[in-house]
């Protein structure tokens, strides 16, 4: 208890953060379409400016350690710009091509080698708000990348290279963030923690990341919120909700704050599904990031979030048609009862960075996450399974004409969870000649209070169906059944669990030359020790070590290529969800899952149609031991809490991005994955995330003669996942896959005001920097994508039918965006 009090004192009395900015330089030559140098081009960045000479040469100083825009203007050529983030004293060479035919529709995005050699993908936040999707935001864009998979457009969760949803790290301003525990379906999720309106930088690694990141096996998403320099506001409204973000800065520039408020209502999407419902969701949150510049070497920062998600769901009826054209069938369900869920989360973090000198930095971080969740439902369903009347002239056309099976089921739950997670962390960074040394230590206290009480009763033709693996054996009517009358599925458990974790890392990196070639290497190691304790739990200490290494080389070739190789052990100590078995009981002896990751990558940057493109290819292999088997139902993961399996994952990811249309960034992605597991030495079978093929496309376009009319296309194709079989089925006896996932979302946007083109002269709109109206079509081709199957038995033939539970159909949406 004293520890928790100390953590609270630290968090709410602690110090904040910053980085001490210095200067970097951009230089190069400005050329026209005929590759002739252009004299007299104005080059502007922040408060600095310069002009090109007779040879088209320029050099300009820019702020480092932040994202800045360099603008190029000329009296006879169209304006162009690039957005770049450089290290202190770094010199970046960039040759700009300008033309007199078309406006540059966006910034040229430059990813410096620092991130490429780490295998980290960086992309801009400015256009994410416009990318269409049922759950628009950063996760919506991630799902178009190779190796990143999701078959649920209502969920912001994703799996990476054969991992599951619990194997991904998410950081905001270097602070790890969490999601609710009890979520079981995408339509319950509400809002992602990351508020797109507040984001400045986005970095993502699909594997092979450095030791400074945490103990997860799959991926890391690192988000940095912006530090505003002037007043501004962003407002968005649509049929799915709205958001407002406000930037504020004090007169002396020492204080700055950015605050976002969001509200979301998924009724438009949920009502497009086959189940007719009374659906009343309320998803809302408020988030703020406050900075105080105390001195050139100190800055205080606070990140806070309060989120409240209420979910009231009352299903009414459902009819799902399936079968073939010759033998069409249908399942009709009539419901009574309702579901009432509530998820309240509170998050606060304070950070402080002390710039000891130009080469040495110390950071202090404290955070607290508190979630209070409840999941209550009683839903009674009566169903009919039968053949459909296909007589077009019949009054009952499309209805069930002959019933093959009737039955009912009652689902009940009273689940409550209260979790408090507190963190203390110290990090250090030292630049020494050409070496970079980073280290950190962290203490985490997790306190969880959990009650699980849920069951399901199934009735068929007046008889209660017993569990498929119940004892004693039922031999009726020859012998009377003497066993207890128990639910078909049931879980009862109460857990009071505490987990204390101590982790540390250290890593060394260096940039060097090998002849005329540039090379980078990084060596690091992580350590974590944890103890699980609680009521009726024996205290248990465990320790793991995770060494990691990276090497990259940029050959001195005419072609711009970069090769990198990473290898390391990625251990994942169990979080609370992984400690809880199928019966809801905490197993404190559950070990950390371990993965040996090997990644071989290549970046090839080139010009096509006189525009920049980049082809990124990565091949990977994971060998996993002490695997904790699990099942996935929608987005709910249930673990065996028994490290009784080994597994592997292998594949290749390819991504081509560039300016397919001048001034816009688009990409095409392809991924191949194979992942299998061996449980109790029974042999290898497909894991629940074995999604073999992935194709993704994110495309931006505009009309040349009307550049203010833009198009955004988001397309994903995934082959079917394992998971179509009943939850109680032995995967070694019954393997089934869902159908392929196919989805296309498209958005059209009319830009009325854009500060890059010019501000509005109308009095009411003179302060607007951006004003646009968008029209979106979700699931453009109205594909039927199933997330799970409902299994119903034919009482006559004893055949079990898999009735797909389809996701959303085609939906239309309007969106208004404004920025001041």
């Amino acid at each position: 208890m004293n520890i928790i009090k100390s953590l609270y004192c630290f968090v709410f009395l602690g110090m904040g953060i910053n980085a001490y900015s210095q200067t970097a330089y951009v230089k190069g030559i400005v050329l026209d379409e005929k590759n002739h140098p252009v004299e007299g081009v104005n080059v502007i960045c922040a408060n600095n400016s310069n002009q090109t000479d007779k040879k088209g040469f320029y050099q300009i100083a820019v702020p480092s350690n932040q994202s800045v825009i360099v603008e190029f203007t000329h009296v006879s050529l169209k304006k162009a710009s690039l957005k770049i983030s450089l290290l202190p004293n770094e010199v970046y060479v960039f040759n700009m091509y300008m033309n007199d035919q078309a406006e540059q529709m966006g910034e040229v995005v430059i990813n410096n080698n620092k991130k490429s050699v780490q295998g980290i993908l960086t992309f801009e936040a400015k256009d994410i708000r416009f990318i269409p999707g049922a759950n628009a935001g950063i996760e919506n864009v991630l799902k178009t990348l190779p190796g990143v998979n999701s078959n649920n457009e209502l969920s912001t969760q994703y799996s990476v290279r054969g991992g599951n949803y619990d194997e991904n790290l998410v950081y905001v301003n270097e602070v790890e963030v969490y999601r609710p525990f009890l979520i079981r379906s995408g339509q319950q999720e509400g809002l992602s923690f990351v508020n797109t309106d507040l984001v400045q930088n986005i970095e993502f690694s699909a594997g092979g990341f450095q030791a400074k990141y945490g103990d997860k096996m799959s991926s890391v998403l690192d988000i940095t919120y912006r530090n505003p320099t002037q007043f501004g506001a962003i407002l968005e409204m649509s049929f799915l909700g709205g958001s407002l973000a406000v930037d504020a800065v004090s007169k002396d520039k020492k204080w700055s704050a950015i605050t976002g408020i969001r509200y979301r209502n998924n009724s438009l999407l949920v009502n497009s599904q086959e189940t007719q419902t009374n659906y009343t969701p309320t998803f809302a949150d408020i988030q703020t990031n406050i900075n105080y510049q105390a001195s050139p070497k100190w800055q205080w920062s606070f990140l806070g979030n309060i989120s409240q998600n209420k979910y009231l769901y009352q299903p009414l009826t459902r009819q799902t048609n399936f079968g073939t054209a010759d033998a069409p069938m249908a399942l009709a369900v009539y419901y009574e009862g309702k579901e009432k869920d509530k998820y309240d989360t509170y998050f606060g973090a304070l950070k402080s960075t002390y710039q000891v000198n130009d080469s040495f930095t110390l950071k202090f971080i404290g955070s607290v996450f508190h979630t209070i969740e409840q999941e209550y439902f009683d839903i009674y369903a009566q169903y009919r399974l039968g053949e459909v009347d296909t007589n077009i002239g019949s009054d009952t056309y499309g209805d069930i004409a002959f019933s093959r099976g009737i039955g009912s089921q009652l689902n009940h739950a009273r689940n409550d969870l209260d979790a408090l997670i507190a963190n203390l962390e110290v990090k250090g960074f030292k630049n020494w000649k050409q070496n970079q040394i980073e280290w950190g230590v962290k203490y985490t206290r997790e306190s969880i209070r959990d009650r699980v009480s849920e069951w399901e009763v199934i009735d068929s033709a007046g008889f209660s169906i017993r569990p498929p693996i119940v004892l004693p054996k039922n031999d009726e009517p020859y012998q009377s059944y003497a066993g207890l009358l128990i639910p078909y599925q049931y879980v009862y458990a109460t857990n009071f669990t505490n987990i204390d974790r101590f982790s540390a890392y250290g890593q060394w990196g260096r940039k060097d030359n090998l002849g005329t070639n540039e090379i980078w290497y990084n060596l690091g190691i992580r350590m974590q020790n944890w103890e699980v304790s609680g009521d009726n739990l024996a205290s248990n200490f465990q320790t793991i070590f995770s060494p990691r290494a990276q090497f990259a080389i940029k050959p001195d070739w005419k072609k711009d290529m970069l090769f990198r190789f990473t290898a390391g052990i990625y251990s994942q100590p169990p979080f609370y969800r992984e400690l809880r078995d199928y019966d809801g009981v905490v197993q404190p002896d559950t070990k950390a899952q371990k993965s040996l990751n090997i990644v071989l990558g290549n970046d090839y940057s080139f010009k096509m149609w006189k525009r920049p493109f980049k082809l990124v290819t990565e091949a990977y292999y994971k060998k996993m031991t002490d695997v904790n088997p699990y099942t996935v139902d929608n987005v709910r993961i249930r673990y065996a809490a028994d490290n009784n399996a080994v597994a592997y994952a292998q594949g290749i990811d390819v991504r081509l991005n560039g300016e397919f249309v001048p001034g816009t960034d688009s990409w095409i992605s392809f991924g191949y994955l194979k992942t299998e597991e061996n449980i109790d030495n029974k042999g290898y079978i497909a894991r629940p995330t074995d999604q073999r093929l992935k194709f993704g496309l994110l495309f931006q376009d505009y009309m040349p003669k009307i550049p203010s009319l833009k198009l955004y296309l988001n397309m994903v194709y995934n082959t079917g996942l394992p998971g179509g079989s009943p939850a109680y089925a032995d995967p070694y006896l019954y393997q089934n896959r869902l159908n392929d996932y196919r989805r296309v979302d498209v958005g059209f946007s009319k830009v009325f005001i854009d500060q890059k083109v010019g501000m509005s002269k109308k009095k009411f709109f003179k302060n607007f920097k951006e004003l646009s109206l968008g029209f979106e079509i979700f699931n453009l081709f109205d594909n039927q994508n199933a997330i799970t199957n409902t299994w119903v038995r034919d009482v006559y033939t004893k055949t079990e039918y898999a009735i797909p539970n389809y996701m959303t159909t085609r939906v239309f949406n309007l969106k208004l965006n404004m920025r001041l």
Side-chain angles (χ1 to χ4, degrees), residues 586-605:
V586 171
Q587 302 295 335
D589 293 327
T590 303
K591 300 177 183 178
Q593 301 182 86
K594 302 175 185 66
S595 175
L596 170 62
N597 286 15
I598 299 174
V599 182
L600 181 63
N602 170 253
D603 293 1
Y604 174 37
S605 300

Side-chain angles (χ1 to χ4, degrees), residues 171-189:
Y171 292 95
V172 175
N173 289 356
E174 297 185 271
V175 181
E176 185 175 358
V177 298
Y178 305 88
R179 59 186 177 88
F181 290 73
L182 296 183
I183 297 293
R184 67 171 66 206
S185 68
Q187 63 195 39
Q188 296 173 319
E189 275 193 32

Side-chain angles (χ1 to χ4, degrees), residues 164-166 179 577 630-633 635-639:
N164 66 30
Y165 307 139
D166 293 334
R179 59 186 177 88
R577 197 192 333 263
Y630 60 89
T631 61
V632 181
D633 184 4
V635 299
R636 187 191 195 191
I637 300 176
R638 297 179 63 187
Y639 290 91

Side-chain angles (χ1 to χ4, degrees), residues 76-115:
S76 61
L77 300 174
K78 298 298 183 181
K79 184 175 76 171
S81 61
L82 74 91
K83 195 169 187 177
I84 194 168
S85 179
L86 299 177
L87 299 174
N89 301 318
E90 183 175 357
V91 178
Y92 190 86
V93 178
F94 177 77
N95 298 328
M96 172 61 76
Y97 290 83
M98 301 181 69
N99 64 74
D100 60 356
Q101 297 180 354
E103 286 282 350
Q104 295 285 352
M105 294 306 299
E107 297 109 1
V108 178
V109 179
I110 304 299
N111 295 327
N112 58 47
N113 284 333
K114 178 188 174 184
K115 299 301 179 183

Side-chain angles (χ1 to χ4, degrees), residues 437-455:
I437 300 172
E438 296 182 62
W439 57 269
V441 293
K442 182 179 181 180
Y443 170 73
T444 301
R445 170 78 172 187
E446 301 165 9
S447 180
I448 295 99
R449 305 292 181 265
D450 179 27
R451 183 193 71 172
V452 183
S453 176
E454 60 181 72
W455 46 261

